[in-house]
Amino acid sequence: MGHDVGRALGKHGLEVITCLQGRSDRTRGLSRKTGIRDAGSLEETVSEADLILSILVPAQAAALAREVAAALEKTGCNTYFADCNAVSPRTAGAIHALITDAGGRFIDGSIIGEPPGRDTPPRFYVSGEHADVMVELAGEEIDVRFIGDQVGRASAIKMCYAGLTKGTFALYFAVLTAAEAMGLSDELRSEFIFSQAEAHRRMASRLPGLPVKASRWVAEMQEIAASFEAVGVTPSLHRGAADIYETVSKTPFAQETPESGNKHRTLEETMTAVAECIVVESSVN
């Protein structure tokens, strides 16, 4: 997502920079490919940038915010910082405090949709007193939607949306894994094709490509659970979803990258691997 957003902003006429200290060869290669310039250190990035977009896995959002806050304090800059990650309103509030206390200007954001360059532009939902700055990023490949002055609103809509989409994928994994373990995969597949054809189509088209993303979604499910619990809705569904993605992340397919992954892997091959992980975990426990 981050690299495609950078590419789209570059096409929009903006100079896009980043800090590649400690990043992988893959990330460096993607940055070069999309025309994102390495500014060197985080302090140099903070000093050069007008606006920082934090787009990474939810588990690392707070850690990056702490590093940026330290850079803001060291440089004395008041750079805008938009956290665009799948985090709870509570986590967004904590990041808001970090950035503001360090002298920066915080924007609560979240991204819904596929990376730029697909058929439909991703929607950047933004909120907070400085959120109007993000509207300048809107273009052919990025849709920016302002939803209020309150920090947490942009994060909350992502929690609700991903609670459905990624929560549903976790449910698919759970049902199909149980059927595989019970020796009923063929029979259940036939019934799904007969009475739940659209659901089966989504399973077959989406689940084989998800193991590589599963480890990143564990923390996202935990953030959703915390968001729901804070407003009195049971967190148990998405804590369970986190457990499902933890298991999926242990399959051999999870070690691939989006570029190297097998685009022709079948649903049946995927579920066999997930079920084998369940058997291994059960034997260990």
Side-chain angles (χ1 to χ4, degrees), residues 212-227:
V212 71
K213 303 177 182 180
S215 64
R216 289 178 280 169
W217 288 2
V218 173
E220 186 167 345
M221 294 302 103
Q222 293 167 342
E223 291 285 325
I224 293 170
S227 301

Side-chain angles (χ1 to χ4, degrees), residues 113-150:
E114 296 296 320
R118 311 303 200 273
D119 292 337
T120 304
R123 281 77 65 205
F124 276 61
Y125 284 90
V126 295
S127 65
E129 63 176 313
H130 302 298
D132 58 318
V133 171
M134 291 284 287
V135 177
E136 297 181 31
L137 305 186
E140 182 179 344
E141 294 189 62
I142 293 177
D143 181 0
V144 180
R145 302 185 181 186
F146 173 74
I147 56 171
D149 294 329
Q150 182 181 347

Side-chain angles (χ1 to χ4, degrees), residues 50 202 253 255:
D50 298 306
R202 295 192 75 212
F253 306 144
Q255 305 307 312

